[in-house]
């Protein structure tokens, strides 16, 4: 079933394809009922008000249980078989038959604390509609006096026991969202690129945007980005930059994903993408249950329950870029190109701890023996170590000529890393 009519959101910050909306999605134009009725004439039942799909036919004088009252239609339970909407003028209350179950309208949001069944009615004896996984967002329409919520989950209506739902304080959430930093569009230089006075390669050069640096974007037209530079308008060819989203201010926390994590346009908002398991995100703001985060130029909200905090000393190994970076809390203090495991013996993705540290160790395998000066093990036989036999690091060396799973470092980098980490420091291996 599709959702009931929703209130307009209070406000929004438009981020190109992303909209961060500091407001609670809620249902409107329906009120709680909780009484027994019958239909005065043969009538269709619909999956969403009376403009939706037909899901059944009720013959004259069928007994039905009314849950919500709307302007033109009511939500009813028919013989514990389905929830459906029927035309309001076809319903006649049964005045002498009162229901023991009553409802209070809520129109708020929540999320599941754990995996839970959604049912056709407010009790475990009712048929199951579906199972909602842990951490999923739901719209809460009403609550029954016996402890069940009527919810909308992915456009399907049903009942869930209140014990399995965390209800959101909408006023508190809106206040928290109003204090979050501003999000804006920018361009990031793929190479050193000129900022020019007008949209032409023949115009005056104002400055050079160095590779990897970003600048706030105003607009894009005819192959040129309009940018803000030292209080004046400048232009950059779109051949040498990429669009990204940025958050005003500085990040104050670094996290990695516990699982493939959904990114949202707002807390409890629309899904705008997925961040892979073990990927890293930088946190700029938060509400009770969500982080405002940036990851690889993508900006959105992540559920806190999907994130591991990285703090203290930790090492991030990026398979795709073949780099190793040592952080001290928020700050990178050492970085280097590396060679990881080859395709047939890859370095395994994961979040580990340094489990052993040794100097002058002989690494022995089925088909190799390698002497290393600095060894930092983190996943069984996998570890970080020097590889003096290699002349170059980085690039695509690892694919065919990589290690047996270890992370090979230049000797000077291995020594510096060894002197700056300790047992139990985290090692994150990601793509």
């Amino acid at each position: 079933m599709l959702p009931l009519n929703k209130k307009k959101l209070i406000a929004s910050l438009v981020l190109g394809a992303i909209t961060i909306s500091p407001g609670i999605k809620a249902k409107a134009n329906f009120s709680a009922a909780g009484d027994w009725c019958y239909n005065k004439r043969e009538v269709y039942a619909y999956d969403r008000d009376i403009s939706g799909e037909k899901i059944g036919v009720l013959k004259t004088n069928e007994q039905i249980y009314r849950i919500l009252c709307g302007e033109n239609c009511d939500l009813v339970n028919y013989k514990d078989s389905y929830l459906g909407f029927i035309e309001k003028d076809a319903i006649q209350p049964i005045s002498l038959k009162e229901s023991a179950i009553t409802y209070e309208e809520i129109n708020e949001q929540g999320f599941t604390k754990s995996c839970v069944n959604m049912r056709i009615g407010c009790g475990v004896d009712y048929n199951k509609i579906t199972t909602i996984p842990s951490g999923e967002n739901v719209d809460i329409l009403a609550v029954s006096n016996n402890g069940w919520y009527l919810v909308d989950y992915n456009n399907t209506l049903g009942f869930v026991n209140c014990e399995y739902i965390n209800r959101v304080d909408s006023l508190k959430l809106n206040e928290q969202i109003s204090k979050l930093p501003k999000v804006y569009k920018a361009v990031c230089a793929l190479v050193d690129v000129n900022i020019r006075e007008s949209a032409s390669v023949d115009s005056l050069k104002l400055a050079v945007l160095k590779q990897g640096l970003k600048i706030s974007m105003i607009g894009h037209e005819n192959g040129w980005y309009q940018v803000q530079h030292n209080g004046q308008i400048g232009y950059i060819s779109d051949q040498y930059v990429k669009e990204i989203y940025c958050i005003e201010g500085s990040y104050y926390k670094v996290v990695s994903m516990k699982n493939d994590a959904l990114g949202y346009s707002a807390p409890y908002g629309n899904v705008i993408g997925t961040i892979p398991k073990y990927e890293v995100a930088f946190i700029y703001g938060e509400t009770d249950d969500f982080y405002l985060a940036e990851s690889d130029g993508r900006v959105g909200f992540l559920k806190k329950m999907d994130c591991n905090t990285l703090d203290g000393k930790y090492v991030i190994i990026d398979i795709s870029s073949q780099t190793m970076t040592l952080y001290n809390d928020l700050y990178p203090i050492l970085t280097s190109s590396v060679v990881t495991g080859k395709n047939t013996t890859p370095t395994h993705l994961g979040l580990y701890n340094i489990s052993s540290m040794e100097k002058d160790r002989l690494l022995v395998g089925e088909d190799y023996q390698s002497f290393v000066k600095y060894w930092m093990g983190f996943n069984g036989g996998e570890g970080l170590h020097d590889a003096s036999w290699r002349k170059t690091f980085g690039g695509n060396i690892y694919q065919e000529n990589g290690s047996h799973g270890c992370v090979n470092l230049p000797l000077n980098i291995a020594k510096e890393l060894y002197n700056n980490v300790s047992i139990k420091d985290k090692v994150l291996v990601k793509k």
Side-chain angles (χ1 to χ4, degrees):
M1 297 181 186
L2 296 181
L4 307 174
N5 296 328
K6 297 184 176 182
K7 294 179 181 176
K8 292 182 179 179
L9 300 176
I10 297 172
S12 64
L13 303 173
V14 178
L15 313 176
I18 303 174
T19 302
I20 293 181
S21 308
I24 292 294
K25 294 186 298 181
K27 311 300 177 183
N29 303 323
F30 284 85
S31 59
D35 57 356
W36 290 96
C37 306
Y38 67 89
N39 52 301
K40 297 182 287 186
R41 55 182 171 80
E42 184 171 285
V43 64
Y44 286 112
Y46 298 85
D47 68 345
R48 58 187 187 280
D49 56 57
I50 52 176
S51 62
E53 298 293 328
K54 296 174 182 177
I55 58 175
V57 178
L58 281 73
K59 297 180 179 179
T60 305
N61 292 329
E62 290 278 12
Q63 184 169 286
I64 50 180
Y65 182 63
R66 182 165 56 177
I67 299 167
L68 296 179
C69 291
E71 296 175 356
N72 300 311
C73 59
D74 294 347
L75 176 66
V76 303
N77 183 321
Y78 173 59
K79 292 185 177 179
D80 300 335
S81 299
Y82 56 75
L83 295 177
F85 292 91
I86 65 175
E87 296 173 12
K88 191 174 188 65
D89 61 7
I91 293 177
Q92 177 65 50
I94 303 173
S95 58
L96 299 179
K97 190 169 185 179
E98 297 181 357
S99 170
I101 305 298
T102 59
Y103 297 90
E104 176 188 352
E105 188 181 11
I106 293 181
N107 295 333
E108 289 189 356
Q109 288 190 306
F111 61 94
T112 52
K113 300 178 186 178
S114 60
C115 186
V116 62
N117 292 327
M118 182 167 71
R119 299 184 179 277
I120 203 76
C122 49
V124 294
D125 295 330
Y126 288 92
N127 292 334
K128 183 178 78 172
I129 300 171
T130 188
T131 299
I132 308 177
S134 176
E136 290 289 295
N137 297 340
V138 296
D139 293 327
I140 305 173
L141 282 66
V143 61
S144 69
N145 62 343
N146 68 336
W148 288 70
Y149 285 135
L150 173 64
V151 304
D152 178 353
Y153 169 63
N154 285 348
N155 298 328
T156 299
L157 298 181
F159 289 89
V160 175
N161 192 299
C162 294
E163 293 182 5
Y164 295 91
I165 302 290
N166 270 329
R167 188 168 158 185
V168 177
D169 184 334
S170 57
L171 293 178
K172 182 180 180 182
L173 177 61
N174 281 332
E175 182 180 359
Q176 291 174 341
I177 291 175
S178 70
K179 297 176 181 178
L180 291 174
K182 178 184 176 182
V183 180
Y184 61 94
K185 259 188 172 182
V187 291
C188 180
L190 302 174
V191 296
D192 292 353
V193 59
N194 293 325
I195 302 175
R196 297 192 176 274
E197 188 177 46
S198 62
S200 169
V201 295
D202 298 321
S203 68
L204 178 67
K205 183 174 74 173
L206 300 177
V208 175
L209 184 66
K210 293 290 186 179
Q211 181 179 358
L213 296 183
K214 60 193 178 186
I215 189 169
S216 180
M217 184 190 88
I218 299 171
H220 181 227
E221 187 175 355
N222 298 326
W224 290 81
Y225 283 108
Q226 192 178 48
V227 299
Q228 186 77 36
H229 173 68
N230 289 340
Q232 65 180 111
I233 303 299
Y235 293 84
I236 298 178
S237 171
D238 62 9
Q239 298 179 54
Y240 308 109
V241 294
K242 66 175 180 179
E243 284 189 28
I244 61 172
Y245 293 102
C246 297
I247 307 175
E248 207 169 65
S250 302
Y251 63 88
Y252 59 86
K253 184 181 291 188
V254 182
V255 300
S256 65
M257 302 303 106
K258 294 180 181 179
N259 42 259
D260 289 347
L262 297 177
Y264 297 86
S265 61
Y268 312 102
N270 297 323
V271 174
I272 56 176
T274 303
I275 300 183
K277 187 177 183 179
Y278 304 125
E279 187 54 79
V280 171
F282 300 90
I283 307 306
Y284 289 78
E286 61 186 283
T287 67
D288 285 346
D289 302 307
F290 287 81
Y291 288 129
L292 173 59
E294 180 274 328
S295 178
D296 193 28
R298 297 171 293 173
V299 171
F301 287 87
L302 299 172
K303 289 180 179 175
K304 291 182 177 180
M305 64 190 299
D306 290 333
C307 301
N308 283 310
T309 298
L310 300 175
D311 53 15
K313 293 278 186 70
Y314 55 94
V315 178
I316 296 179
I317 300 160
D318 191 322
I319 302 292
S320 298
S321 66
Q322 288 290 284
T323 57
M324 179 283 304
T325 304
L326 170 64
Y327 282 79
N328 186 7
D329 285 326
L330 305 179
Y331 308 105
I333 59 175
L334 178 65
T335 188
S336 173
S337 296
V338 300
V339 176
T340 59
K342 57 179 175 277
N343 291 340
T344 54
T345 55
T347 306
H348 291 89
L349 304 182
L351 180 61
Y352 309 102
N353 295 101
I354 294 178
S355 55
S356 62
M357 296 181 64
E358 298 178 46
K359 290 184 178 181
D360 300 327
R361 172 172 170 169
L362 183 64
L363 304 179
V364 180
E366 291 182 3
D367 57 350
Y368 69 91
Q369 287 190 2
S370 302
F371 177 80
V372 301
K373 288 184 174 292
Y374 303 97
W375 166 262
M376 294 148 279
F378 59 80
N379 178 33
E382 296 178 2
L384 297 125
H385 64 78
D386 53 287
S388 57
W389 56 89
R390 292 191 184 276
K391 302 302 180 184
T392 57
F393 295 82
N396 294 323
I397 296 171
Y398 76 103
Q399 294 180 355
E400 300 297 332
N401 191 29
S403 72
H404 291 80
C406 289
V407 180
N408 293 176
L409 304 165
L411 177 59
N412 64 320
I413 296 294
K415 179 180 179 179
E416 190 171 354
L417 181 64
Y418 188 93
N419 291 331
N420 278 279
V421 296
S422 304
I423 299 292
K424 295 187 178 179
D425 286 344
K426 291 184 177 69
V427 176
L428 176 71
V429 183
K430 72 182 191 72
K431 284 187 175 179

